[in-house]
Amino acid sequence: MSLDQVVALQIDERSYSLANVLRSAVMQGSFGAIDNYISHALVASFAEENGIAVGQEEIQEAVNDWRVMNGLYQASEVADWLTERALSMADLAEFARMNALKERVRQHVTAGKAERYFTEYRSLFEAVALSQIVVNERGLARELRFKALEEEPFYTLVRAYSIDESSRLAGGYIGRKERAQLPKAIEAQAFGAAPGTIAGPLEIEKKFYVIKVEEVYPAELNGDTKARIERILFDEWLAARRKEANVCKPALWTRD
């Protein structure tokens, strides 16, 4: 029996062969690609149901992106890469077609929804730039906050007292952070504060922080933010579609 005859997946009433799944896994450099292949199959099914297709130019663009990602700039390098993995140009073209199709489906299911999502979750896209002092004692943190408020340079206090090596050498600066990237205690003090605000002591995991708000970045629906929102919406759509689909993994993919 060939691998094309071995059923690796069943989704709704359609079967997918082990050969196709393994080809996809090799293309991605991962044999944990079964879940990714389920997503590919669901995207392809949706595209078929809704008459969504991609043209040759889109496929070629996806091939070019794949070549750049893998550092394969010469045709001979592509041929060698495929040969070493027992793959063909047809396998590469199909892989690229699926990636291009996924992009088209993403555009389809997120069209016109980013603006509403941004309005509803605007605060998630606000950001601040911070500096911090980290010490082991609350009393010392309180004293350092007072010194900073009395206009002793924050970076000198950091270098003299902070125990956080990753930020100490940068004068305490930890860069631009969004809400989800910060502990709740720091988030509560940093967002809504004006640049120059110094707050603390804030206790986090038995350490004490004094923070300085360096910059404030209001949420803005620019190109990068819109692209992020569309990725979030597409991931949510795909998760819902996976939940609704009748996905059956044969014993081949289970531990028992």
Side-chain angles (χ1 to χ4, degrees):
M1 180 182 292
S2 72
L3 295 183
D4 287 303
Q5 295 173 300
V6 177
V7 175
L9 279 175
Q10 289 177 326
I11 301 177
D12 295 327
E13 297 180 356
R14 185 170 296 183
S15 297
Y16 299 87
S17 74
L18 177 58
N20 283 339
V21 174
L22 290 178
R23 288 189 189 104
S24 178
V26 173
M27 291 300 308
Q28 296 177 69
S30 170
F31 283 90
I34 183 68
D35 287 331
N36 289 337
Y37 197 84
I38 292 172
S39 298
H40 277 311
L42 292 172
V43 166
S45 176
F46 179 86
E48 184 178 329
E49 293 166 6
N50 291 272
I52 301 172
V54 293
Q56 190 57 44
E57 288 185 4
E58 292 167 284
I59 294 173
Q60 186 58 54
E61 183 177 348
V63 169
N64 293 341
D65 290 342
W66 175 85
R67 289 176 64 174
V68 170
M69 182 179 66
N70 287 279
L72 303 173
Y73 299 103
Q74 302 295 325
S76 59
E77 294 175 331
V78 174
D80 290 343
W81 192 97
L82 294 171
T83 300
E84 288 170 1
R85 293 161 177 80
L87 295 168
S88 67
M89 288 300 296
D91 294 325
L92 173 56
E94 176 58 17
F95 181 77
R97 186 188 72 83
M98 283 302 307
N99 282 344
L101 191 62
K102 181 179 179 181
E103 176 61 19
R104 286 290 297 275
V105 169
R106 184 191 65 77
Q107 293 171 1
H108 179 87
V109 300
T110 64
K113 297 179 181 178
E115 292 78 7
R116 184 173 60 187
Y117 187 96
F118 178 78
T119 299
E120 187 172 354
Y121 298 103
R122 185 186 191 97
S123 65
L124 296 178
F125 301 97
E126 296 173 347
V128 291
L130 300 175
S131 293
Q132 66 181 19
I133 304 172
V134 186
V135 294
N136 285 321
E137 300 175 8
R138 184 186 297 275
L140 177 58
R142 186 181 295 114
E143 179 184 345
L144 294 174
R145 176 175 177 268
F146 287 143
K147 288 185 176 183
L149 289 172
E150 291 172 353
E151 299 189 353
E152 187 163 342
F154 197 86
Y155 69 89
T156 62
L157 296 174
V158 171
R159 293 188 175 181
Y161 296 98
S162 185
I163 62 173
D164 183 67
E165 291 297 327
S166 62
S167 61
R168 188 174 64 83
L169 296 179
Y173 187 70
I174 61 172
R176 175 173 172 153
K177 303 291 182 181
E178 294 182 350
R179 289 179 182 273
Q181 297 175 293
L182 293 171
K184 291 294 184 182
I186 293 180
E187 175 197 345
Q189 293 294 322
F191 285 90
T197 296
I198 297 171
L202 307 173
E203 184 175 357
I204 302 168
E205 297 180 352
K206 298 182 180 180
K207 292 184 174 62
F208 299 91
Y209 288 67
V210 178
I211 62 166
K212 180 180 180 181
V213 179
E214 302 286 0
E215 297 286 345
V216 174
Y217 304 95
E220 179 184 359
L221 187 58
N222 52 28
D224 288 342
T225 302
K226 185 175 181 181
R228 285 179 57 195
I229 292 173
E230 288 176 348
R231 287 194 295 271
I232 292 170
L233 291 170
F234 180 69
D235 288 344
E236 290 177 350
W237 171 85
L238 191 54
R241 191 167 175 86
R242 286 171 65 104
K243 190 174 181 179
E244 294 170 0
N246 180 22
V247 178
C248 175
K249 294 183 183 179
L252 172 69
W253 303 110
T254 63
R255 291 182 181 272
D256 299 331

